[in-house]
Amino acid sequence: MITATADGVTFESIGLGLKSHNIPVLPPTKDNTVELADRDGALDFGSTYGPRPFNLECIIMADDPTLDYQRRVALVAALFNIQKGDIVFTFEDHPGKRFIGRYAGTMDITKLIFDGEVTIPIKMNNPYPDSSQDTTVREYGQGLEYGHGYSYSDYAMWISASGQSIVIRNEGSVQAFPIIRISGAFSNFSLSDGASTLILYGTSSASDVWEINCDPDECTVFLNGQSAYSRSNAVFFKLKPGNTVFTANGTSLSFNLAFVFRYKYLY
């Protein structure tokens, strides 16, 4: 059996044994094409990945074929209840990764005396698994263990001079969209990755905290918890796999610059 968790609950604790998870190597593709009259073939506008489905092949293990069996079936139903929305799955054969999805389909059970065999269909609307830890600065012992791929200072740096650079490494195989956190003082600050430049207008004091969320579904700029979108030029970065060099410019720079994100993976 594969050790696994769903929504923070171990399968074993509710009498569920995971035989396999059948996660496909890549999500299914969606081809974006247009066919025109009087023209052979189609115009190709590229392909994108669709949601990633996979099945959990499980055994429900009970102490007796009646009361305990029904109790454990009820626990399974509660764990995968779609009304909870997306939940996080982890699997021991995918260390350091989490899969976010929900029950989607039907869950028929084949009764085998004390036990039952069940296939639980899961759908990941965001098809990419991501790292179980984000890049928030941590010391060892704060949810971070040696070998997880994170170092104490890789994703945060004290900025005190115009032209200072920081290298941010995305260890995933898919682009990531960071939250950029700026804590401290500056005047007319800009941050460039060599292709695009984010500008924050005006001044910031030593006690100010900025958060720029580059997620395409968010694209927000907050200052001390309040929207400050109008004080930016609305540039939001994406981190390709590998290294991205950012350069900070401005005057009176005295702040901590941190990038918070999770690695995303094709598999």
Side-chain angles (χ1 to χ4, degrees), residues 11-214:
F11 282 32
E12 182 182 8
S13 69
I14 62 170
L16 199 60
L18 177 62
K19 296 189 296 181
S20 66
H21 44 53
N22 299 328
I23 298 172
V25 176
L26 286 171
T29 59
K30 178 182 178 182
D31 298 324
N32 302 304
T33 60
V34 174
E35 297 183 6
L36 301 178
D38 298 323
R39 178 167 178 165
D40 296 331
L43 296 179
D44 183 8
F45 291 93
S47 299
T48 55
Y49 287 120
R52 187 194 308 245
F54 63 90
N55 292 325
L56 303 174
E57 303 289 346
C58 299
I59 296 177
I60 298 175
M61 297 172 287
D63 295 331
D64 65 65
T66 54
L67 294 180
D68 189 58
Y69 174 82
Q70 298 300 337
R71 181 180 70 85
R72 292 185 185 276
V73 170
L75 291 173
V76 171
L79 179 59
F80 293 97
N81 182 5
I82 196 173
Q83 293 177 350
K84 295 193 294 185
D86 285 345
I87 60 176
V88 174
F89 297 87
T90 65
F91 306 104
E92 66 172 338
D93 55 348
H94 288 273
K97 297 179 182 178
R98 62 179 200 164
F99 297 74
I100 301 176
R102 67 179 70 182
Y103 164 69
T106 59
M107 194 187 302
D108 296 327
I109 299 177
T110 301
K111 184 78 179 326
L112 301 171
I113 308 177
F114 280 75
D115 302 330
E117 289 187 346
V118 59
T119 298
I120 305 171
I122 302 298
K123 179 181 179 182
M124 297 174 63
N125 288 308
N126 183 336
Y128 305 117
D130 59 20
S131 55
S132 51
Q133 293 281 351
D134 64 24
T135 58
T136 301
V137 174
R138 295 179 176 87
E139 296 184 33
Y140 295 125
Q142 296 180 315
L144 178 63
E145 297 177 5
Y146 181 78
H148 275 189
Y150 306 96
S151 299
Y152 181 81
S153 59
D154 278 357
Y155 302 96
M157 178 180 288
W158 185 258
I159 304 296
S160 58
S162 189
Q164 194 169 339
S165 295
I166 179 172
V167 179
I168 301 300
R169 182 164 182 80
N170 177 5
E171 297 282 358
S173 52
V174 178
Q175 65 186 10
F177 303 95
I179 293 175
I180 302 172
R181 186 171 293 129
I182 302 167
S183 306
F186 61 79
S187 180
N188 294 319
F189 167 71
S190 68
L191 183 68
S192 175
D193 65 355
S196 302
T197 301
L198 167 69
I199 300 174
L200 299 180
Y201 302 107
T203 61
S204 178
S205 68
S207 61
D208 285 337
V209 178
W210 295 74
E211 283 199 353
I212 298 93
N213 191 336
C214 298

